[in-house]
Amino acid sequence: MLIDADKINEAKKKLGDSMAHIIADTLGVENFDPKGLKMCCPWHNEDHASCVWNRKELKFHCFASCGRHYDIIDAFMKTGKTYVESVQQLFELAGTKYSFGEYGLKTKTAYRYPKEPPADNDKSHVYEYLGLRGISKETIDAADVREDSSGNCVFLFKNTDDVTLTIKYRPSHKVDKTKGEMKSWCQKDADTTPILFNMNRINPSEPLVITEGCIDTLAVIEAGYSNAVSVPFGAGTMTWIEECWDFLEQFNSIIICSDNDEPGIKMRKECVARLGSWRTKYVDIPHAVTTED
């Protein structure tokens, strides 16, 4: 579902500066200045209020190290809501009437929809494995990563209507290829659609980061930028561009963060060509990082 951006802006204008108070309350900010509409940035440690409400753009902007922008939709998504759920909450507050059509409905005829493991499954194996890779429980939960009965990581690929179309799995331990272990696989006896992982939790008003893998996306989120997605089937398959074209068309800025190997370099070149060089940039990841004592 693509929601009319004009309707979102209309709802924001109705609420105006009251959104600053709503955001501060939603985030649980204790040092919010209700008169100056500023606060210490929730995203890094500081002892003075550098996060200031922008009345023109109707969002907070941090003027310190992180430079982060943050609007009311971002705040609602921070509580665990998806993008559409966050917009629904915005519209309710603003009294904006809007039809969300087929939201949440499985509309594909004869499609073998994958079965999701329960959201309340124990995730201790996932937390431990991804924790070793620097991914926090907060980020794992924010991206709705789950665990199956065998302890594997489960990645749900949901469309913008919050309907799961593809499920991928990854062992919650280092893969031993000598034992025939697979690095990842899709759910057996279920269909797949080449959509982007985490695309249902993206704010189209901010730049989009596209990574090569689900864990790469989690790393970007962990680093402080939540507007990140992953391609579904690695750098060598580009069918996600056609499948997600309407979604991708919403963004004025797209950043490709693929691996710095031959497939990754080929992926970013094709993305720049097909998504438009005027809005598409890429991250040149170094082959190795060294530090001095």
Side-chain angles (χ1 to χ4, degrees), residues 44-264:
H44 64 271
N45 294 325
E46 61 178 14
D47 55 10
H48 64 283
S50 62
C51 200
V52 182
W53 180 249
N54 186 316
R55 284 192 166 93
K56 182 178 180 180
E57 297 184 0
L58 296 175
K59 62 177 67 174
F60 277 102
H61 175 70
C62 177
F63 288 91
S65 58
C66 73
R68 188 182 180 114
H69 296 275
Y70 209 77
D71 70 5
I72 193 168
I73 294 174
D74 293 316
F76 291 155
M77 286 199 291
K78 183 66 176 175
T79 67
K81 288 182 169 61
T82 64
Y83 176 72
V84 175
E85 290 171 340
S86 299
V87 174
Q88 287 177 325
Q89 186 171 353
L90 167 64
F91 284 179
E92 289 173 4
L93 290 172
T96 299
K97 294 182 179 180
Y98 192 85
S99 173
F100 288 86
E102 298 177 339
Y103 173 69
L105 300 179
K106 297 179 178 179
T107 59
K108 286 177 173 278
T109 304
Y111 192 83
R112 296 179 302 168
Y113 286 92
K115 297 179 180 179
E116 302 177 7
D120 59 356
N121 269 5
D122 173 63
K123 295 197 288 189
S124 57
H125 295 91
V126 171
Y127 287 146
E128 181 179 1
Y129 172 66
L130 294 179
L132 293 173
R133 304 188 65 160
I135 310 300
S136 66
K137 292 182 179 180
E138 181 183 25
T139 294
I140 293 168
D141 293 341
D144 195 20
V145 181
R146 302 186 187 182
E147 182 173 320
D148 68 5
S149 57
S150 299
N152 298 304
C153 303
V154 183
F155 300 97
L156 310 179
F157 286 68
K158 296 191 175 189
N159 63 14
T160 52
D161 283 322
D162 287 341
V163 176
T164 301
L165 298 181
T166 300
I167 290 183
K168 288 186 69 176
Y169 300 82
R170 182 187 180 99
S172 55
H173 59 262
K174 187 176 181 180
V175 174
D176 188 347
K177 293 183 179 179
T178 63
K179 295 182 180 180
E181 290 187 336
M182 293 186 293
K183 185 176 180 180
S184 65
W185 64 93
C186 293
Q187 189 174 106
K188 185 180 179 181
D189 298 326
D191 290 329
T192 60
T193 301
I195 61 174
L196 298 162
F197 169 66
N198 202 47
M199 67 184 290
N200 64 320
R201 299 174 184 275
I202 297 300
N203 189 339
S205 68
E206 297 294 332
L208 177 70
V209 175
I210 301 177
T211 74
E212 193 176 320
C214 296
I215 296 181
D216 296 333
T217 290
L218 298 180
V220 173
I221 296 173
E222 187 69 32
Y225 193 76
S226 58
N227 243 39
V229 297
S230 166
V231 300
F233 306 124
T237 304
M238 306 298 291
T239 51
W240 55 271
I241 292 182
E242 291 87 356
E243 185 68 33
C244 303
W245 183 255
D246 290 341
F247 169 78
L248 294 166
E249 278 285 84
Q250 301 176 96
F251 298 91
N252 293 323
S253 178
I254 296 176
I255 303 166
I256 308 301
C257 186
S258 59
D259 293 346
N260 199 9
D261 54 15
E262 186 175 345

